[in-house]
Amino acid sequence: YHIMYNNATFVTKEQLKFLKQMDNWLANEPWQSEVELKTAMEVRNMITEIEKKGYYYEGEAELLNLMRSEYIEHTKKKKKKRL
């Protein structure tokens, strides 16, 4: 459960761990287009900011959730390939 303060949500240890994994993926993924690359960089910068300050805002959460579903889709596909 999250403590809400002025529209900010404090990051849990679990979330930080996940952000680290997602950051890794964003850094190592061979992005095809300029737009994907730009988005990946923006999200990586955001992750760094969140790690530094320890909380995030609603607006940031939307983008992170979007990326999160991309990441989860990607890891599912990867697991299927391995089998």
Side-chain angles (χ1 to χ4, degrees), residues 7-79:
N7 221 353
T9 306
F10 291 95
V11 199
T12 64
K13 275 193 177 127
E14 292 303 302
Q15 285 172 321
L16 279 175
K17 199 174 135 195
F18 183 79
L19 285 174
K20 272 231 175 310
Q21 291 169 348
M22 197 160 72
D23 188 40
N24 251 340
W25 167 67
L26 288 166
N28 297 307
E29 191 61 21
W31 301 106
Q32 301 305 309
S33 73
E34 195 60 41
V35 175
E36 286 180 329
L37 191 65
K38 198 168 169 266
T39 306
M41 285 310 297
E42 279 175 27
V43 175
R44 292 196 65 213
N45 288 337
M46 191 191 294
I47 289 172
T48 306
E49 279 302 299
I50 292 168
E51 285 172 342
K52 266 192 245 168
K53 59 188 185 185
Y55 59 86
Y56 58 89
Y57 292 105
E58 240 168 70
E60 295 172 320
E62 282 169 34
L63 183 56
L64 286 174
N65 285 334
L66 230 134
M67 265 311 185
R68 187 171 168 256
S69 20
E70 288 284 317
Y71 173 66
I72 289 166
E73 275 306 297
H74 172 85
T75 48
K76 276 184 196 162
K77 277 182 203 154
K78 222 173 170 181
K79 277 178 189 153

